[in-house]
């Protein structure tokens, strides 16, 4: 009997085909798994940096106040005039706050899932344009693990970028569905327009998405096949949906740019040509970040760049890279339109945050590169495809290079994620990475004020050594002076600081209001009550719901004998301070000191409904009830009231 050989050719062929050329569905699953895997270690992160004012200390998010969320700017609970309007993003935070409150893991999980969805969108849309499966897979994989995305994904408020791109992908997909024409096609175009509106409600820079879509359709030959007019005029739907966008933005009091009074706008007053020169130098950092992705930092200070419009080496290099990209786009517009699209997509999606079209409040932020980085991964993937097709040693080198790049990106991303664990870790990282950046020292010093005041002072003084005209460290040092009992030093420091206050500040006025409140406290402590009251009233007008302003000014009003104004402030704190136990305890303590025991009892009972396990509230309630019982006794048998000190400032 003849032996039958062990046949492997059939199963090996099927296995090899499924691994090297997996089905689209399997590819998407692998890409999503990759995107999730590199960000799993963010689930242990806490709230960091802007997460705290935007979510943790945002009453509109806690109460799910839809009117406030949609009729106020993104930063309007802290400072007005920021030019930011992202109601859909903060609405997602409000919904999530009802689900998991101040447990950050839920918010981080949503960010991870949105990033994974964006990776899937990128792969799917590239395939819809008949981009080779290998190229689309590599581009999506590089996008999934790119280190420059860590700020957008690992920092919860990076949600704006993630959500904007997600709805941008939906916009693009619906538009492609609408190619069928007829009534059904117009229905898809309406869906596309609504998705676009959702994207700009998530982040302002998504306003340029239709321009990128237009470029994609043009380069894909759509205009040539059906005619320019027939292909172009449906784009009017995107202009139509901008009408409600700008109407709501106007209702929210947000213009198209940041008001100079609320913060430093580095390139304000510069001509277009001067902005082009300066940003060409900054652009070298853009290119490094999207191609290499290392090193990374949370904040880029203006001190790190030369803001004089001179042709120094960085500017020349930046112009050279930009010119090379434009030349590449022109040279390959017919032979490889995907190259041209990648270059055009880069400049379109970067335009709003480039400071060239419009000066904004910062020169550079890594989260702004989330969407533009699509262009970088496309160009790298195209180059890799050409290398593989060339064969021989170049093919081997390309395969090794792309594998190494994917591994490098993944390692850097996983290593970077823990830096965003909290506000201290991220700015410890910034100080280590960018020792000449004063903002790192300033923000880290501010974060350490309560837990390590000695080091906090050292950091704040280091920030001033790097930038002697930096205002924020001076305000934080004054606050430290007050905590250390140096009221005269704090008063003089704050007086010099407030002398630089710009006119016509929008409300709320952010730091300026807090500095007025601290100045009022310093004046009261040094005996100048009339001037203290004046600055307390200014602070209250500028930021009527700020926790720090309410706490400090209420104490000043109390010291000046303006009891009802003080009590009104403490009542406001019970509405706005998320630490209900502290707020109600402080309010009741003041009422006890005023011997208004019936009101104190009512306040304490109200507080215990919100925090029934508060021992401090129960102790005060017991004391109040004892006092009320003693009030019914003859005056000779009463004991004098015990005065309690207020809890720490919010």
């Amino acid at each position: 009997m003849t032996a039958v050989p062990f046949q492997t050719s059939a199963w090996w062929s099927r296995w090899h085909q499924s691994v090297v050329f997996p089905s689209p569905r399997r590819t998407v699953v692998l890409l999503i798994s990759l995107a999730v895997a590199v960000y799993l270690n963010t689930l242990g992160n806490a709230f960091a940096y802007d997460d705290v004012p935007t979510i943790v200390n945002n009453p509109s998010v806690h109460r799910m106040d839809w009117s406030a969320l949609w009729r106020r700017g993104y930063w309007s609970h802290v400072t007005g005039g920021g030019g930011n309007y992202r109601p859909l993003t903060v609405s997602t935070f409000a919904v999530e706050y009802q689900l998991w409150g101040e447990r950050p893991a839920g918010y981080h999980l949503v960010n991870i899932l949105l990033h994974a969805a964006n990776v899937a969108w990128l792969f799917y849309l590239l395939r819809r344009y008949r981009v080779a499966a290998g190229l689309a897979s590599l581009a999506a994989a590089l996008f999934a693990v790119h280190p420059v995305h860590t700020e957008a994904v690992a920092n919860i408020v990076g949600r704006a970028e993630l959500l904007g791109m997600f709805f941008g992908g939906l916009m693009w997909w619906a538009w492609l569905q609408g190619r069928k024409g007829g009534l059904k096609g117009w229905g898809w175009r309406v869906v596309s327009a609504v998705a676009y509106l959702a994207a700009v409600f998530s982040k302002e820079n998504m306003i340029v998405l239709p321009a990128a879509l237009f470029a994609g359709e043009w380069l894909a030959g759509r205009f040539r096949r059906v005619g320019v007019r027939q292909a172009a005029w449906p784009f009017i739907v995107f202009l139509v949906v901008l009408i409600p966008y700008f109407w709501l933005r106007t209702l929210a009091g947000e213009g198209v740019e940041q008001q100079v009074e609320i913060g430093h706008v580095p390139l304000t007053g510069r001509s277009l040509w001067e902005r082009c020169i300066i940003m060409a130098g900054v652009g070298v950092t853009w290119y490094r970040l999207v191609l290499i992705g290392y090193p990374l930092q949370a904040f880029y200070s203006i001190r790190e760049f030369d803001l004089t419009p001179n042709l120094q080496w960085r500017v020349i290099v930046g112009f050279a890279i930009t010119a090379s990209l434009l030349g590449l786009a022109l040279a390959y517009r017919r032979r490889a339109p995907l190259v041209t699209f990648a270059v055009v997509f880069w400049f379109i999606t970067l335009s709003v945050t480039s400071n060239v079209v419009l000066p904004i409040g910062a020169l550079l932020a890594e989260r702004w590169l989330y969407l533009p980085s699509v262009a970088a991964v496309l160009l790298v993937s195209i180059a890799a495809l050409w290398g593989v097709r060339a064969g021989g040693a170049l093919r081997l080198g390309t395969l090794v290079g792309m594998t190494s790049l994917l591994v490098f990106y993944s390692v850097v991303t996983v290593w970077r994620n823990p830096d965003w664990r909290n506000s201290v870790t991220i700015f410890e990282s910034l100080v280590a990475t960018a020792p000449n950046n004063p903002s790192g020292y300033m923000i880290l010093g501010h974060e350490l004020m309560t837990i390590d005041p000695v080091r906090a002072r050292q950091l704040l003084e280091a920030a001033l050594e790097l930038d002697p005209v930096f205002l924020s460290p001076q305000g934080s040092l004054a606050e430290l002076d007050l905590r250390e009992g140096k009221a005269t030093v704090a008063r003089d420091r704050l007086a010099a600081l407030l002398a630089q206050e710009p006119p016509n500040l929008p409300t709320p006025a952010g730091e300026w209001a807090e500095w007025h409140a601290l100045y009022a406290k310093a004046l009261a402590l040094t005996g100048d009550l009339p001037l203290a009251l004046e600055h307390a009233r200014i602070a209250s007008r500028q930021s009527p719901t700020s926790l720090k302003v309410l706490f400090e000014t209420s104490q000043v009003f109390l010291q000046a004998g303006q009891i009802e104004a003080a009590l009104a402030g403490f009542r406001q704190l019970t509405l706005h301070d998320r630490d209900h136990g502290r707020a109600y305890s402080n309010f009741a303590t003041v009422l006890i000191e005023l011997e208004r025991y019936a009101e104190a009892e009512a306040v304490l009972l109200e507080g215990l409904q919100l925090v029934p396990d508060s021992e401090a509230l129960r102790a005060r309630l017991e004391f109040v009830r004892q006092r009320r019982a003693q009030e019914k006794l003859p005056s000779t048998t009463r004991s004098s009231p015990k005065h309690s000190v207020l809890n720490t400032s919010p």
Side-chain angles (χ1 to χ4, degrees):
M1 180 170 141
T2 306
V4 177
F6 183 60
Q7 298 177 355
T8 61
S9 58
W11 70 263
W12 168 261
S13 177
R14 287 195 299 271
W15 181 86
H16 183 266
Q17 184 75 12
S18 66
V19 171
V20 179
F21 302 105
S23 67
R25 183 175 297 178
R26 186 174 297 178
T27 301
V28 169
V29 170
L30 290 172
L31 289 169
I32 287 175
S33 300
L34 181 62
V36 170
V38 295
Y39 284 105
L40 271 179
N41 63 337
T42 65
L43 292 176
N45 288 1
F47 295 102
Y49 195 28
D50 287 345
D51 297 344
V52 177
T54 307
I55 302 171
V56 179
N57 293 334
N58 190 341
S60 300
V61 166
H62 302 172
R63 296 194 297 265
M64 207 154 60
D65 185 344
W66 298 114
S67 177
L69 293 172
W70 284 82
R71 298 186 63 180
R72 297 176 63 184
Y74 186 69
W75 287 109
S76 290
H77 62 293
V78 177
T79 182
N84 298 317
Y85 182 63
R86 304 165 194 169
L88 189 55
T89 298
V90 289
S91 293
T92 66
F93 296 147
V95 172
E96 288 176 79
Y97 195 86
Q98 310 311 309
L99 296 174
W100 30 73
E102 294 179 17
R103 296 184 294 276
Y107 301 87
H108 285 296
L109 178 61
V110 172
N111 273 21
I112 294 171
L113 295 177
L114 280 171
H115 176 59
N118 290 336
V119 171
W121 270 135
L122 179 58
F123 173 78
Y124 176 78
L125 291 171
L126 287 172
R127 293 296 289 143
R128 280 294 300 267
Y129 279 99
R130 299 183 180 179
V131 172
L135 195 159
S137 300
L138 178 58
L142 289 170
F143 186 84
V145 300
H146 203 300
V148 82
H149 300 157
T150 52
E151 181 177 358
V153 184
N155 193 206
I156 296 169
V157 294
R159 173 78 53 84
E161 313 290 341
L162 306 174
L163 209 58
M165 183 171 173
F166 174 79
F167 284 113
L170 181 61
M171 175 205 82
W172 213 298
W173 170 77
W175 186 266
L176 296 183
Q177 294 293 102
R179 283 177 171 178
K180 301 170 184 176
L183 188 60
K184 192 173 182 179
W186 273 104
W188 281 113
R189 286 166 184 156
V190 170
V191 172
S192 180
V194 172
Y196 168 59
L197 184 61
V200 293
F201 277 147
S202 302
K203 186 71 186 289
E204 304 84 0
N205 58 336
M206 301 299 161
I207 199 168
V208 300
L209 284 173
L213 174 60
F214 188 94
E217 292 288 84
W218 181 286
L219 291 164
R222 176 72 175 170
F223 286 47
R224 187 170 57 254
R225 289 192 297 270
V226 302
V228 174
R229 180 176 297 180
Q230 185 176 343
W233 82 272
F235 278 82
I236 197 171
V237 296
F238 298 119
L239 294 176
V240 172
V241 297
L242 285 179
I243 295 172
Y245 171 72
F246 281 108
W247 175 65
L248 284 170
R249 191 180 175 97
T250 302
L251 285 181
E254 296 295 340
V256 296
E257 58 184 327
Q258 177 179 314
Q259 292 185 28
V260 178
E261 293 83 2
I262 72 157
H264 187 53
V265 181
L267 301 189
T268 189
R270 297 283 191 178
S271 68
L272 177 61
W273 174 240
E274 288 175 330
R275 295 201 300 273
C276 286
I277 294 175
I278 294 168
M279 293 311 296
V282 176
V284 174
T285 304
W286 292 339
Y287 296 125
R288 173 181 63 79
L289 287 170
V290 295
L291 290 176
I292 303 173
Y294 182 85
L296 300 167
Q297 59 189 73
F299 192 94
Y300 291 83
S301 168
I302 60 173
R303 287 184 58 88
E304 297 177 73
F305 303 100
D306 187 349
L307 299 189
T308 56
N310 299 322
L311 292 177
Q312 37 92 13
W313 75 268
R314 285 182 64 96
V315 173
I316 294 170
V317 171
F319 272 134
I321 297 174
T322 301
S324 298
L325 286 174
L326 293 173
L328 195 68
L330 288 172
Y332 284 95
R333 69 187 185 280
R334 297 189 187 280
R335 286 183 292 166
L338 188 59
V339 172
T340 303
F341 171 74
V343 174
V344 171
F345 188 88
W346 166 259
F347 289 111
I348 287 175
T349 55
L350 194 64
S351 60
V352 176
T353 56
S354 67
N355 277 280
V356 173
V357 177
L358 189 73
I360 56 178
L363 293 175
L364 171 68
E366 289 167 9
R367 62 187 177 276
W368 296 347
L369 296 173
Y370 185 78
L371 183 61
S373 67
V374 168
V377 298
L378 275 177
L379 290 174
V380 170
S381 300
I382 293 167
L385 182 64
W386 288 345
V388 169
R389 286 179 175 174
L394 186 56
R395 171 184 292 178
L396 179 61
T398 301
L399 291 173
V400 171
M402 286 301 100
T403 303
S404 301
L405 186 62
L406 280 168
V407 171
F408 173 73
Y409 278 180
S410 301
V411 169
V412 173
T413 296
V414 173
W415 169 78
R416 174 65 171 172
N417 289 335
D419 286 345
W420 285 97
R421 186 178 300 114
N422 54 54
S423 297
V424 172
T425 55
I426 189 57
F427 288 103
E428 290 277 18
S429 169
L430 179 57
V431 168
T433 307
N436 293 324
N437 185 334
S439 298
Y441 296 93
M442 185 275 294
I443 302 173
L444 181 58
H446 188 80
E447 291 295 326
L448 294 175
M449 284 173 63
T450 56
I451 57 178
D452 190 350
V454 174
R455 186 171 178 228
R457 183 176 289 277
Q458 293 171 348
L459 289 163
L460 294 167
E461 289 172 348
L464 285 176
E465 286 180 13
L466 289 169
D467 188 353
V469 298
F470 198 177
L471 300 181
S472 295
Q474 299 174 40
S476 296
L477 283 169
E479 188 171 354
L480 275 177
D481 292 334
L482 284 170
R483 292 182 183 187
E484 295 169 4
K486 303 173 183 176
T488 303
V489 176
R491 180 198 63 195
D492 296 341
R493 195 190 297 271
L494 288 162
L497 181 59
L498 290 171
Q500 303 174 66
E501 181 178 354
N504 305 317
L505 279 173
T507 55
E511 285 183 317
W512 291 105
E514 293 180 359
W515 294 336
H516 275 289
L518 291 172
Y519 188 42
K521 180 178 182 178
L523 288 166
L525 290 172
T526 54
D528 194 344
L529 281 176
L531 191 56
L533 283 172
E534 180 183 335
H535 282 273
R537 294 189 186 101
I538 292 172
S540 299
R541 278 198 310 273
Q542 288 184 337
S543 290
T545 60
S546 163
L547 300 185
K548 184 176 290 186
V549 168
L550 284 168
F551 186 80
E552 302 296 358
T553 56
S554 295
Q555 291 188 90
V556 171
F557 290 139
L558 193 64
Q559 188 172 347
Q562 298 198 4
I563 305 301
E564 296 309 315
L567 293 179
F570 284 111
R571 166 56 73 182
Q572 284 292 306
L573 280 168
T574 65
L575 300 176
H576 298 292
D577 191 350
R578 64 189 178 91
D579 188 342
H580 298 298
R582 174 178 63 190
Y584 279 95
S585 178
N586 283 340
F587 191 15
T589 297
V590 173
L591 290 168
I592 291 169
E593 290 179 344
L594 296 171
E595 300 185 22
R596 293 165 65 161
Y597 300 119
E599 294 174 65
E601 183 175 8
V603 166
L604 290 165
L605 289 171
E606 184 181 333
L608 283 167
Q609 288 181 345
L610 295 172
V611 277
D613 298 329
S614 172
E615 294 296 329
L617 293 182
R618 290 193 180 279
R620 282 169 171 75
L621 181 61
E622 182 181 352
F623 172 77
V624 165
R625 284 175 172 169
Q626 289 175 358
R627 295 305 306 169
R628 294 200 69 188
Q630 287 182 0
E631 284 181 335
K632 299 175 183 178
L633 300 175
S635 58
T636 54
T637 62
R638 297 181 193 173
S639 60
S640 59
K642 300 176 182 178
H643 296 281
S644 302
V645 296
L646 297 181
N647 289 341
T648 308
S649 168

